[in-house]
Amino acid sequence: MSKIQLVAEAQLPTKFGIFRMVGFEFPDTHKEHAALVMGDISDSEHNPVLARIHSECLTGDALHSLKCDCGFQLETALRQISEAGRGVLIYHREEGRGIGLINKIRAYSLQDQGLDTIEANEALGFAADERNFAVCADIFELLGVKKVRLLTNNPNKIDTMREAGINVVERVALNVGENRYNTAYLSTKAEKMGHLIVHNHENKEHDQHQHGVCCSCQREQISE
Ligand SMILES: Nc1nc2c(ncn2[C@@H]2O[C@H](COP(=O)(O)OP(=O)(O)OP(=O)(O)O)[C@@H](O)[C@H]2O)c(=O)[nH]1
Ligand SMILES: [Zn+2]
């Protein structure tokens, strides 16, 4: 398969400030990814860039689902980049950990019957995580980013970046959005997938809760 290429760029004003949106495409498959860039990221060698690899989650990112932590992480990452005045968010379009939206809905149906997130994937014939993060290293390279402070709880993202030559100088934890509907999902990630999740009750910075959702996440008005 040929390498992904940078194919389009434009300004994107958001509620977190004005980003440069960069579009990437594989020439053969036309599979698309995108990145939001703020500030001057060309000097990462001397001043590592705050960065997020955010895997697509239509339900969490756009439809306000409480079944996962994705939407909360997306908002927090964009806010932190905006506060830093500089950074990159790669929107990694591998919905449902790479199984796609319809299969994720099928997995959610199995979860409604009691399976956890990994068991549901496996019952559908998939691995627990089908994502390929290597493309994100290529995207960092195309953006001229060499050293990053990576916003993630997933050690696999860090390992893959380092193997691909992107220097992750720091992991910045992203523990937001825990609520009654995703506690089991977060526990499965921590216990079975090795994610570095800190639960709200252990997280001194986030010890106030409203409506079952962590105080830090700005989506406090949730009707239950
Ligand atoms: N197959 C499947 N995918 C899910 C489920 N819940 C969320 N996802 C997808 O999981 C991806 C996010 O992965 P997570 O494991 O939550 O987090 P991560 O990106 O690995 O790690 P962080 O950087 O810490 O956010 C997105 O692509 C979501 O669409 C689920 O129950 N089943
Ligand atoms: Zn999600």
Side-chain angles (χ1 to χ4, degrees), residues 54-203:
H54 190 85
S55 295
E56 179 171 335
C57 178
L58 182 78
T59 45
D61 298 343
L63 303 178
H64 307 280
S65 166
L66 296 177
K67 263 182 81 72
C68 58
D69 52 351
C70 305
F72 305 101
Q73 290 183 312
L74 179 61
E75 289 210 21
T76 303
L78 290 173
R79 191 177 318 113
Q80 290 193 9
I81 289 169
S82 159
E83 282 167 6
R86 178 172 172 268
V88 179
L89 181 136
I90 296 177
Y91 198 74
H92 179 230
R93 302 202 55 210
E94 295 220 11
E95 171 65 63
R97 296 197 184 117
I99 68 174
L101 178 62
I102 300 303
N103 283 320
K104 188 170 84 169
I105 299 170
R106 292 189 177 114
Y108 277 179
S109 172
L110 294 171
Q111 290 168 30
D112 288 342
Q113 296 163 42
L115 274 64
D116 71 26
T117 170
I118 295 178
E119 292 162 348
N121 258 35
E122 289 172 349
L124 292 170
F126 297 109
D129 194 339
E130 297 266 350
R131 284 174 292 179
N132 175 9
F133 294 117
V135 66
C136 300
D138 291 338
I139 289 173
F140 280 131
E141 199 181 320
L142 287 167
L143 292 171
V145 172
K146 296 187 173 70
K147 283 190 186 171
V148 294
R149 300 168 57 230
L150 198 62
L151 283 152
T152 187
N153 304 323
N154 181 350
N156 189 23
K157 288 183 182 173
I158 298 171
D159 294 345
T160 311
M161 287 313 104
R162 287 182 175 155
E163 281 159 22
I166 302 300
N167 189 348
V168 181
V169 296
E170 183 188 344
R171 178 182 81 88
V172 182
L174 203 48
N175 289 294
V176 285
E178 183 176 349
N179 66 78
R180 69 171 69 172
Y181 302 103
N182 68 12
T183 305
Y185 170 77
L186 296 176
S187 298
T188 303
K189 285 208 285 186
E191 287 156 23
K192 291 192 175 178
M193 301 177 87
H195 288 218
L196 307 161
I197 309 273
V198 178
H199 288 287
N200 284 342
H201 63 273
E202 300 161 14
N203 188 342

Side-chain angles (χ1 to χ4, degrees), residues 66 72 177-179 200 208-217 219-220 222 224:
L66 296 177
F72 305 101
E178 183 176 349
N179 66 78
N200 284 342
Q208 290 176 29
H209 302 78
Q210 288 186 9
H211 309 284
V213 173
C214 172
C215 60
S216 65
C217 71
R219 281 196 192 167
E220 291 148 350
I222 288 165
E224 308 203 15

